[in-house]
Amino acid sequence: METAAKLAAVDRYIEAFANADLNIIRALFAEDASVEDPVGTDAHIGMEAICAFYEGAMGAGAKLALTGTPRCAGNAVAFPFKVMIPGMEMDVIDVFEFNDAGKVTSMRAYWGPENSRQA
Amino acid sequence: METAAKLAAVDRYIEAFANADLNIIRALFAEDASVEDPVGTDAHIGMEAICAFYEGAMGAGAKLALTGTPRCAGNAVAFPFKVMIPGMEMDVIDVFEFNDAGKVTSMRAYWGPENSRQA
């Protein structure tokens, strides 16, 4: 998968939150993808579980902004960003893994309580 | 594993490069650990292969500086940093996974050619 396509997926993901648009999520992820957010908790597996998860996050008003350059390697991209919800913000790193069709098959989000602050 | 111990491991890793000190690497990693740098390439497996890899990086004069907060989750920490080598620097995200003894069992480094620049 080309670097440009991975970077475009990151941009679309941020756009999904900006517009609270689940259709973008549906287009980005593979049907059988898994979303582990944060790492160490039970994953949301399959499109319906994934959409339910993102619907909740978007419903809370979460918006994302990159805080550094996305790093592409192998079949993956890792990118640092902050999540902004009214009253708070939090530093997160997401790792996307892609299949040959260019769909995200695995999303893992790295963050802990010490990464959040009032804003 | 406590968050504080994971954050201390990140600090020690940066210190290892600052002092070109392989003894710190030996203390951080499990004997059977793997280092995949960048993700998508063959991993260095086992302490001797890992030390040989880091000896090369340190011999090239590489130094590290965090560019954001480390994110701890589950048995892992992900952290964004830049590598500085005379004449160039590069943005990287590393993910460490720890065993119950607090040793790093897996290091995966996310970076690509587009993350480097002259400096």
Coordinates of all heavy atoms in Angstrom, one line a residue, chain B residues 53-102:
Chain B
F53 N 22.4 -4.4 16.8 CA 21.6 -3.4 16.1 C 21.8 -2.0 16.8 O 22.0 -1.0 16.1 CB 20.1 -3.7 16.1 CG 19.2 -2.6 15.7 CD1 19.1 -2.2 14.3 CD2 18.4 -2.0 16.6 CE1 18.3 -1.2 13.9 CE2 17.5 -1.0 16.2 CZ 17.5 -0.6 14.8
Y54 N 21.6 -2.0 18.1 CA 21.8 -0.7 18.8 C 23.2 -0.1 18.8 O 23.4 1.1 18.7 CB 21.2 -0.8 20.2 CG 19.7 -0.7 20.3 CD1 19.0 -1.8 20.6 CD2 19.0 0.4 19.9 CE1 17.6 -1.8 20.7 CE2 17.6 0.4 19.9 CZ 16.9 -0.7 20.3 OH 15.6 -0.7 20.3
E55 N 24.2 -1.1 18.8 CA 25.6 -0.6 18.7 C 25.8 0.1 17.4 O 26.5 1.2 17.3 CB 26.5 -1.8 18.8 CG 27.9 -1.5 18.9 CD 28.8 -2.7 19.3 OE1 28.4 -3.8 18.9 OE2 29.8 -2.5 19.9
G56 N 25.2 -0.4 16.3 CA 25.3 0.3 15.0 C 24.6 1.7 15.0 O 25.2 2.7 14.6
A57 N 23.4 1.8 15.6 CA 22.7 3.1 15.7 C 23.5 4.1 16.5 O 23.7 5.3 16.2 CB 21.3 2.9 16.2
M58 N 24.0 3.6 17.7 CA 24.7 4.5 18.6 C 26.1 4.9 17.9 O 26.5 6.0 18.1 CB 25.0 3.8 19.9 CG 23.7 3.6 20.7 SD 23.9 2.6 22.2 CE 22.3 2.6 22.9
G59 N 26.7 4.0 17.2 CA 27.9 4.3 16.5 C 27.8 5.3 15.5 O 28.7 6.1 15.2
A60 N 26.6 5.4 14.9 CA 26.3 6.5 13.9 C 26.0 7.8 14.6 O 25.8 8.8 13.9 CB 25.1 6.1 13.0
G61 N 26.0 7.8 15.9 CA 25.8 9.1 16.6 C 24.4 9.5 16.9 O 24.1 10.6 17.2
A62 N 23.5 8.5 16.7 CA 22.1 8.8 16.9 C 21.7 9.2 18.3 O 22.2 8.6 19.3 CB 21.2 7.6 16.5
K63 N 21.0 10.3 18.5 CA 20.4 10.8 19.7 C 18.9 10.9 19.6 O 18.5 11.2 18.5 CB 21.1 12.1 20.2 CG 22.6 12.1 20.2 CD 23.2 11.2 21.2 CE 24.7 11.2 21.1 NZ 25.3 10.1 22.0
L64 N 18.2 10.8 20.7 CA 16.7 10.8 20.6 C 16.2 12.0 21.5 O 16.8 12.3 22.6 CB 16.2 9.5 21.2 CG 16.8 8.2 20.7 CD1 16.0 7.0 21.2 CD2 16.8 8.1 19.2
A65 N 15.1 12.5 21.1 CA 14.4 13.5 21.9 C 12.9 13.3 21.7 O 12.4 13.3 20.6 CB 14.8 14.9 21.5
L66 N 12.2 13.2 22.8 CA 10.7 13.1 22.8 C 10.1 14.4 22.1 O 10.6 15.5 22.3 CB 10.1 13.0 24.2 CG 10.3 11.7 24.9 CD1 9.7 11.8 26.3 CD2 9.7 10.5 24.2
T67 N 9.1 14.1 21.3 CA 8.4 15.3 20.6 C 6.9 15.3 21.1 O 6.1 16.0 20.5 CB 8.4 15.1 19.1 OG1 7.9 13.8 18.7 CG2 9.8 15.3 18.6
G68 N 6.6 14.5 22.1 CA 5.3 14.5 22.7 C 5.3 13.6 23.9 O 6.3 13.0 24.3
T69 N 4.1 13.5 24.5 CA 4.0 12.7 25.7 C 4.0 11.2 25.4 O 3.3 10.8 24.5 CB 2.8 13.1 26.5 OG1 1.6 13.0 25.6 CG2 2.9 14.5 27.1
P70 N 4.7 10.3 26.2 CA 4.5 8.9 26.0 C 3.0 8.5 26.4 O 2.5 9.1 27.3 CB 5.5 8.3 27.0 CG 6.5 9.4 27.2 CD 5.7 10.7 27.1
R71 N 2.5 7.6 25.7 CA 1.1 7.1 25.9 C 1.2 5.6 26.4 O 1.6 4.7 25.6 CB 0.3 7.1 24.6 CG -0.3 8.5 24.2 CD 0.7 9.4 23.6 NE 0.1 10.3 22.7 CZ 0.7 11.3 22.1 NH1 2.0 11.6 22.4 NH2 0.1 12.1 21.2
C72 N 0.8 5.4 27.7 CA 0.8 4.1 28.3 C -0.6 3.5 28.2 O -1.6 4.1 28.5 CB 1.2 4.2 29.7 SG 2.9 4.7 30.0
A73 N -0.7 2.2 27.8 CA -1.9 1.5 27.7 C -1.7 0.0 27.8 O -0.7 -0.5 27.1 CB -2.7 1.8 26.4
G74 N -2.5 -0.7 28.5 CA -2.3 -2.2 28.7 C -0.8 -2.5 29.1 O -0.3 -1.9 30.0
N75 N -0.2 -3.4 28.4 CA 1.2 -3.8 28.7 C 2.2 -3.0 27.8 O 3.3 -3.4 27.6 CB 1.4 -5.3 28.5 CG 1.3 -5.6 27.0 OD1 0.7 -4.9 26.2 ND2 2.0 -6.7 26.6
A76 N 1.8 -1.8 27.3 CA 2.6 -1.2 26.3 C 2.7 0.3 26.6 O 2.0 0.9 27.4 CB 1.9 -1.3 24.9
V77 N 3.7 0.9 25.9 CA 3.8 2.4 25.8 C 4.2 2.7 24.4 O 5.0 2.1 23.8 CB 4.9 2.9 26.8 CG1 6.3 2.4 26.6 CG2 4.9 4.5 26.8
A78 N 3.6 3.8 23.9 CA 3.9 4.3 22.5 C 4.4 5.7 22.8 O 3.8 6.5 23.6 CB 2.7 4.3 21.6
F79 N 5.5 6.1 22.1 CA 6.0 7.5 22.3 C 6.6 8.0 21.0 O 7.2 7.3 20.2 CB 7.1 7.5 23.4 CG 8.2 6.5 23.3 CD1 9.4 6.9 22.9 CD2 8.0 5.2 23.6 CE1 10.5 6.0 22.7 CE2 9.1 4.3 23.5 CZ 10.3 4.7 23.0
P80 N 6.3 9.3 20.8 CA 6.8 10.0 19.6 C 8.1 10.7 19.9 O 8.2 11.4 20.9 CB 5.7 11.0 19.3 CG 5.1 11.4 20.7 CD 5.4 10.2 21.6
F81 N 9.0 10.6 19.0 CA 10.3 11.3 19.2 C 11.0 11.6 17.9 O 10.5 11.2 16.8 CB 11.2 10.4 20.1 CG 11.6 9.1 19.5 CD1 12.8 8.9 18.8 CD2 10.7 8.0 19.6 CE1 13.1 7.6 18.3 CE2 11.1 6.7 19.0 CZ 12.3 6.6 18.4
K82 N 12.1 12.3 17.9 CA 12.9 12.5 16.7 C 14.3 11.9 17.0 O 14.8 11.9 18.1 CB 13.0 13.9 16.3 CG 13.6 14.9 17.3 CD 13.6 16.3 16.7 CE 14.2 17.3 17.7 NZ 14.2 18.7 17.1
V83 N 14.8 11.3 16.0 CA 16.2 10.8 16.0 C 17.0 11.9 15.3 O 16.7 12.3 14.2 CB 16.3 9.5 15.2 CG1 17.8 9.0 15.2 CG2 15.4 8.4 15.7
M84 N 18.1 12.2 16.0 CA 19.0 13.2 15.4 C 20.4 12.5 15.2 O 21.0 11.9 16.1 CB 19.2 14.4 16.4 CG 17.9 15.1 16.6 SD 17.9 16.1 18.2 CE 17.8 14.8 19.4
I85 N 20.8 12.6 13.9 CA 22.1 12.1 13.5 C 22.7 13.3 12.8 O 22.0 14.1 12.1 CB 21.9 10.9 12.5 CG1 21.2 9.7 13.2 CG2 23.3 10.4 11.9 CD1 20.9 8.5 12.3
P86 N 24.1 13.4 12.9 CA 24.7 14.6 12.3 C 24.2 14.8 10.8 O 24.3 13.9 10.0 CB 26.2 14.3 12.4 CG 26.3 13.5 13.6 CD 25.0 12.6 13.6
G87 N 23.6 15.9 10.5 CA 23.1 16.3 9.2 C 21.7 15.9 8.9 O 21.1 16.4 7.9
M88 N 21.0 15.1 9.7 CA 19.6 14.8 9.5 C 18.9 14.5 10.8 O 19.5 14.2 11.8 CB 19.5 13.6 8.5 CG 20.0 12.2 9.1 SD 18.7 11.3 9.9 CE 17.8 10.7 8.5
E89 N 17.6 14.6 10.7 CA 16.7 14.2 11.8 C 15.5 13.5 11.2 O 15.1 13.7 10.0 CB 16.4 15.3 12.8 CG 15.7 16.5 12.2 CD 15.5 17.6 13.3 OE1 16.4 17.8 14.1 OE2 14.4 18.2 13.2
M90 N 14.8 12.7 12.0 CA 13.7 11.9 11.5 C 12.7 11.7 12.7 O 13.1 11.5 13.8 CB 14.2 10.5 11.1 CG 13.2 9.7 10.4 SD 14.0 8.2 9.6 CE 14.5 7.4 11.1
D91 N 11.4 11.8 12.3 CA 10.3 11.5 13.2 C 10.0 10.0 13.3 O 9.9 9.4 12.2 CB 9.1 12.3 12.8 CG 9.2 13.8 12.8 OD1 9.9 14.3 13.8 OD2 8.7 14.5 12.0
V92 N 9.9 9.5 14.5 CA 9.6 8.1 14.7 C 8.6 8.0 15.8 O 8.5 8.8 16.7 CB 10.9 7.4 15.2 CG1 10.7 5.9 15.4 CG2 12.1 7.6 14.1
I93 N 7.8 6.9 15.8 CA 7.0 6.4 16.9 C 7.5 5.0 17.3 O 7.4 4.2 16.4 CB 5.5 6.5 16.7 CG1 5.0 7.9 16.6 CG2 4.7 5.7 17.7 CD1 3.6 8.1 16.2
D94 N 7.9 4.8 18.5 CA 8.2 3.5 19.0 C 7.1 2.9 19.9 O 6.4 3.7 20.6 CB 9.5 3.5 19.9 CG 10.7 3.4 19.0 OD1 10.7 3.4 17.8 OD2 11.8 3.2 19.6
V95 N 6.8 1.6 19.8 CA 5.9 1.0 20.7 C 6.7 -0.1 21.4 O 7.3 -1.0 20.8 CB 4.7 0.3 20.0 CG1 3.8 -0.4 21.0 CG2 3.9 1.4 19.3
F96 N 6.7 0.0 22.8 CA 7.3 -1.1 23.6 C 6.2 -1.9 24.2 O 5.2 -1.4 24.7 CB 8.1 -0.4 24.8 CG 9.4 0.2 24.5 CD1 10.0 0.9 25.5 CD2 10.0 0.2 23.3 CE1 11.2 1.6 25.3 CE2 11.2 0.8 23.0 CZ 11.8 1.5 24.1
E97 N 6.4 -3.2 24.2 CA 5.5 -4.1 25.0 C 6.4 -4.8 26.1 O 7.5 -5.2 25.8 CB 4.8 -5.2 24.1 CG 3.8 -4.5 23.2 CD 3.1 -5.5 22.3 OE1 3.3 -6.7 22.4 OE2 2.3 -5.1 21.5
F98 N 5.8 -4.8 27.3 CA 6.5 -5.3 28.5 C 6.0 -6.7 28.9 O 4.8 -7.0 28.8 CB 6.4 -4.3 29.6 CG 6.9 -3.0 29.4 CD1 6.1 -2.0 28.8 CD2 8.3 -2.7 29.7 CE1 6.6 -0.7 28.5 CE2 8.8 -1.4 29.4 CZ 7.9 -0.4 28.8
N99 N 6.9 -7.5 29.5 CA 6.4 -8.7 30.2 C 6.2 -8.4 31.7 O 6.4 -7.3 32.1 CB 7.4 -9.9 30.0 CG 8.8 -9.6 30.6 OD1 8.9 -8.7 31.4 ND2 9.8 -10.3 30.2
D100 N 5.8 -9.4 32.4 CA 5.4 -9.2 33.8 C 6.6 -8.8 34.6 O 6.5 -8.3 35.7 CB 4.8 -10.5 34.4 CG 3.4 -10.8 33.8 OD1 2.8 -9.8 33.2 OD2 2.9 -11.9 33.9
A101 N 7.8 -9.1 34.1 CA 9.0 -8.8 34.9 C 9.5 -7.3 34.6 O 10.5 -6.9 35.1 CB 10.2 -9.7 34.5
G102 N 8.7 -6.7 33.7 CA 9.0 -5.3 33.5 C 10.1 -5.1 32.4 O 10.6 -4.0 32.2

